[in-house]
Amino acid sequence: MIGEPGGQMDILQFSFAELQAQMAMWGEPRFRAQQIWQWIYQHLVGTFDDMTNLPLKLRERLARHYRLTPLTPLDEQVSADGLTHKVLFSLPDGETIESVLMAYERRQTVCVSSQVGCPIGCPFCATGQCGLTRDLTTAEIVAQPLYFGQQLRDRDMSVTNVVLMGMGEPFLNYDAVWAAIERWNDHTGLDLGARRMTISTAGHVPGIRRMAQEPLQVGLAISLHAADDTLRDELVPLNRAYPLAELLDACREYVSTTRRRITIEYALIDQVNDSIEQAVQLADLLEGLLCHINLIPLNPTEESEYRPSPPVRVTHFQVTLLERQIPATIRLGRGIEIQAGCGQLRRRYSGQ
Ligand code: SAH
Ligand code: SF4
């Protein structure tokens, strides 16, 4: 359990069984745990006091012992079109993380962080420039969509999708991430379908193999960004531990075990990974793999020299893939003007 000097623990850290056990220890009737669970995960209340069918004494006792959320919003940016909300949260120990709500195609997708910083160090990524501070707890991960769910509820909407594409490498914090996924999926709570959730990895092979064995049908995205080891060693340094041949083996095994299509993320960087030859190489690498490529013109960061590919190079790259029967769509960087790229708001904040 996550303790704090103030003695408060995160109620979001509890599984339902743990909450039941705690209520039993307090001598509460059996149905209390279910009531509390519904207040947290279905009604998305902001305080224990809002749990109006609980006796006042119990509400007070809960508030003395538990925090309802470990997240305190510090800063928020909304894109000019109003469709992207990015929030910087502070955590109980003073660290900060970002989460983003993106509204498109009638979806409300929350982009969730899994770590404070990230140890992988991709040079184009704002998070990668900070290094890793620590893993997030299950409560800190679970709480991110709940925050946006509360805001959306007031507008008669709800979170429809979750992507683990915020700060951090989710497979380096597997247990906490998977516990959060199971929590969001729980039918007596948020009830988010497994297929509405996606984990994005820089290519952590043991994580991919482990996920292939999970019963929940959660989506998998691989941040590839290069189709040869020399370039990928530089762009996604995790490649030095799990080179392309090993990564592709794990992907093939994943598809044959799960029968699910993999999403390949490819950030197009001007004159670095966006030539026709590189598109051909990528098509060769992925031949026969059940996958779909998302081409994303790089979101430039202040710290790196890399620039997004111009539209004509993006189009040529896509056409080259399509000609080789590799499905590829272009994802336009959403909310570039609010620095929606991974870790960018936090960088700016800490630089102030
Ligand atoms: N660590 C995981 C998940 C978080 S990063 C991973 O790397 O997959 C989520 C996605 O954002 C990854 O595909 C990552 O490569 C991409 N990304 C990071 N910085 C970016 C930038 N400046 N422009 C475009 N995509 C970026
Ligand atoms: Fe970490 Fe992903 Fe950023 Fe690479 S792109 S540094 S793996 S968060």
Side-chain angles (χ1 to χ4, degrees):
M1 210 51 35
I2 310 306
E4 243 219 318
Q8 277 200 323
M9 297 189 293
D10 280 307
I11 200 154
L12 297 182
Q13 197 69 19
F14 279 139
S15 65
F16 184 63
E18 288 167 340
L19 183 61
Q20 275 182 317
Q22 183 60 57
M23 287 308 109
M25 260 168 55
W26 282 4
E28 292 292 332
R30 274 191 72 81
F31 58 84
R32 285 288 181 240
Q34 195 185 356
Q35 288 178 319
I36 296 169
W37 199 257
Q38 283 171 345
W39 283 118
I40 297 175
Y41 293 104
Q42 288 184 344
H43 307 300
L44 306 173
V45 290
T47 67
F48 288 108
D49 220 34
D50 294 333
M51 302 184 176
T52 46
N53 60 359
L54 304 188
L56 183 61
K57 279 227 152 23
L58 177 58
R59 283 185 256 164
E60 287 170 353
R61 191 171 188 188
L62 284 165
R64 265 199 315 279
H65 287 82
Y66 297 105
R67 267 192 300 262
L68 200 45
T69 175
L71 304 181
T72 309
L74 280 185
D75 194 3
E76 183 176 22
Q77 289 183 345
V78 182
S79 62
D81 58 14
L83 298 180
T84 310
H85 285 237
K86 178 164 181 161
V87 178
L88 182 76
F89 293 108
S90 78
L91 306 176
D93 63 358
E95 295 298 338
T96 53
I97 53 159
E98 297 176 7
S99 318
V100 187
L101 174 70
M102 298 166 292
Y104 57 93
E105 292 166 2
R106 271 181 271 145
R107 291 187 196 163
Q108 304 291 333
T109 302
V110 179
C111 177
V112 169
S113 291
S114 56
Q115 297 182 306
V116 181
C118 179
I120 309 293
C122 306
F124 56 85
C125 167
T127 304
Q129 306 315 299
C130 311
L132 176 72
T133 305
R134 67 171 173 84
D135 284 340
L136 293 185
T137 64
T138 300
E140 289 164 340
I141 300 170
V142 166
Q144 298 170 55
L146 296 186
Y147 171 85
F148 291 104
Q150 268 173 17
Q151 315 245 307
L152 288 168
R153 179 201 53 196
D154 299 338
R155 293 186 277 144
D156 281 332
M157 292 191 281
S158 59
V159 172
T160 62
N161 296 72
V162 166
V163 292
L164 271 295
M165 289 189 190
M167 301 165 60
E169 166 50 44
F171 284 155
L172 292 178
N173 189 15
Y174 194 109
D175 292 336
V177 164
W178 205 266
I181 282 182
E182 288 177 335
R183 191 76 56 78
W184 298 322
N185 180 245
D186 178 16
H187 302 304
T188 65
L190 212 57
D191 197 17
L192 203 59
R195 288 160 191 276
R196 293 170 175 273
M197 300 187 261
T198 301
I199 295 187
S200 175
T201 176
H204 188 262
V205 166
I208 297 168
R209 293 195 190 282
R210 187 170 164 191
M211 185 177 161
Q213 305 304 322
E214 300 283 357
L216 284 182
Q217 310 251 309
V218 174
L220 174 65
I222 310 278
S223 302
L224 200 63
H225 308 320
D228 74 274
D229 279 316
T230 312
L231 181 58
R232 195 161 191 274
D233 281 352
E234 191 188 316
L235 292 180
V236 186
L238 188 62
N239 196 67
R240 295 171 200 162
Y242 307 107
L244 283 168
E246 245 180 87
L247 176 57
L248 267 291
D249 269 356
C251 289
R252 291 208 173 82
E253 197 185 298
Y254 178 89
V255 169
S256 73
T257 310
T258 64
R259 311 273 165 212
R260 291 202 298 273
R261 177 189 303 268
I262 292 180
T263 301
I264 302 288
E265 306 283 338
Y266 197 99
L268 285 163
I269 311 175
D270 192 25
Q271 310 290 337
V272 173
N273 65 356
D274 64 347
S275 71
I276 300 294
E277 295 71 33
Q278 285 163 321
V280 172
Q281 205 175 17
L282 179 61
D284 289 345
L285 184 74
L286 299 178
E287 200 194 333
L289 180 74
L290 183 62
C291 69
H292 179 100
I293 306 186
N294 279 337
L295 299 171
I296 312 134
L298 183 85
N299 195 358
T301 65
E302 279 164 31
E303 297 81 13
S304 95
E305 308 264 279
Y306 296 123
R307 289 292 158 254
S309 305
V312 60
R313 288 178 76 86
V314 174
T315 309
H316 284 161
F317 200 92
Q318 182 194 27
V319 167
T320 308
L321 292 169
L322 294 177
E323 282 169 354
R324 284 160 181 78
Q325 276 73 54
I326 306 283
T329 42
I330 299 170
R331 287 292 176 89
L332 287 176
R334 294 190 62 81
I336 287 184
E337 78 278 18
I338 64 153
Q339 308 191 337
C342 178
Q344 293 181 29
L345 179 60
R346 176 172 179 255
R347 280 292 276 179
R348 213 177 75 150
Y349 204 85
S350 61
Q352 274 172 0

